[in-house]
Amino acid sequence: MKPTSLTIVMPCLNEELTLRVCIQRAKRFLETVNIPTEIIVADNGSTDQSTEICRSENVNCLHVPEKGYGAALHYGIMAASGSHIIFGDSDDSYHFDECMPFYDAFKNGAELVVGNRFRGGLEKGAMPWLHRYLGTPVISFMGRKSFEVPFTDFNCGLRGISKEAYMKLDMHSRGMDFITEMLAKAGYKKLSITEVPVRLYKDGRNRPPHLKTWQDGWRQLSLIIMLSPRWLLLIPSIVFFAGGTMLFLLLLFSRIRIASITLDVHSFFFGAIFMMLGLQLFQFYLLLRFYGYKLQ
């Protein structure tokens, strides 16, 4: 479905230093598309001048009662009147006047469009070393393998989705794991997905980012495991059970000598342990699979 109207949603929590320039960049982009448009700032409880900036720029400031990055995005997307939504951070790390690739992808039939910062370019100092070389590549690899989606940048904060497709996803996450849940469910629902290059700029904050590296990284990782536990639980359970069973049966009646190595009662004991470990991992897999299906 081609876009008939377009909404830009910006989650916001005390972004007075950068919010105005983000709104102005979004306005410049929206002036180039020949369809009805709007901007929604999903405010998550700002105590600075962010809401006043929205009023002065004559954009809709939606007050989100529920805390969390995902909550702000969810309420903003649900309030959007556009047939398609582009959303991104309001810290000026993404320039909304560079969103034309998202609009073009929508016109070509994409339901979900995700930015790729590695293809678009990273301004010096825009991404911490740990995120660039460890966190994002690991999460992206696990996400691709787990959900069979084509993304190589799982954590890009500039994305677009059709309102119709978003309603199919039934999103639950309200924190930073919102972005992971969206991509996982997009894979399960077989949405039409496109990845486009975007440039990441150094944000304009004078304070630390809201993102907590280890805490939010663990939330992402645990959600991937919960929604698709086969890599961490199912495959190891099969390996441990099959290897343990083979070792157990081989040593059930006699010891085995291989060159100078003798497999006896201690190896027999480990075979039994591996069998039990395999069964336990398989049990955990079934529990998470059941719970994961409820989230899907």
Side-chain angles (χ1 to χ4, degrees), residues 242-258 263-264 267-268 271 275:
T245 301
M246 183 180 300
L247 189 60
F248 182 88
L249 293 176
L250 286 174
L251 298 173
L252 185 59
F253 300 107
S254 64
R255 70 183 65 179
I256 298 175
R257 181 179 294 275
I258 304 174
L263 303 180
D264 203 344
S267 302
F268 180 79
M275 289 173 61

Side-chain angles (χ1 to χ4, degrees), residues 104-179:
D104 291 338
F106 285 147
K107 289 194 296 184
N108 290 328
E111 295 177 283
L112 174 64
V113 188
V114 179
N116 186 314
R117 298 165 293 180
F118 300 104
R119 286 169 52 193
L122 302 165
E123 189 176 65
K124 185 177 180 180
M127 184 185 292
W129 186 92
L130 188 64
H131 295 187
R132 182 173 183 175
Y133 296 105
L134 180 62
T136 298
V138 169
I139 292 294
S140 299
F141 173 78
M142 292 186 66
R144 287 195 304 275
K145 292 296 183 181
S146 298
F147 310 119
E148 298 179 358
V149 289
F151 308 117
T152 53
D153 185 2
F154 228 65
N155 291 335
C156 183
L158 186 61
R159 303 182 180 192
I161 192 169
S162 72
K163 185 71 172 284
E164 182 180 344
Y166 184 79
M167 299 302 293
K168 296 177 184 177
L169 299 184
D170 187 28
M171 297 291 294
H172 293 278
S173 299
R174 293 296 182 260
M176 291 292 183
D177 47 347
F178 178 92
I179 56 176

Side-chain angles (χ1 to χ4, degrees), residues 56-120:
S56 67
E57 290 291 334
N58 197 29
V59 300
N60 182 4
C61 183
L62 177 69
H63 296 283
V64 178
E66 191 175 353
K67 293 295 184 182
Y69 173 78
L73 283 175
H74 175 73
Y75 279 81
I77 293 172
M78 293 301 294
S81 61
S83 65
H84 291 70
I85 299 103
I86 296 174
F87 58 88
D89 301 337
S90 52
D91 60 3
D92 205 32
S93 55
Y94 302 101
H95 289 182
F96 287 98
D97 51 0
E98 299 175 357
C99 283
M100 189 54 72
F102 289 82
Y103 183 64
D104 291 338
F106 285 147
K107 289 194 296 184
N108 290 328
E111 295 177 283
L112 174 64
V113 188
V114 179
N116 186 314
R117 298 165 293 180
F118 300 104
R119 286 169 52 193

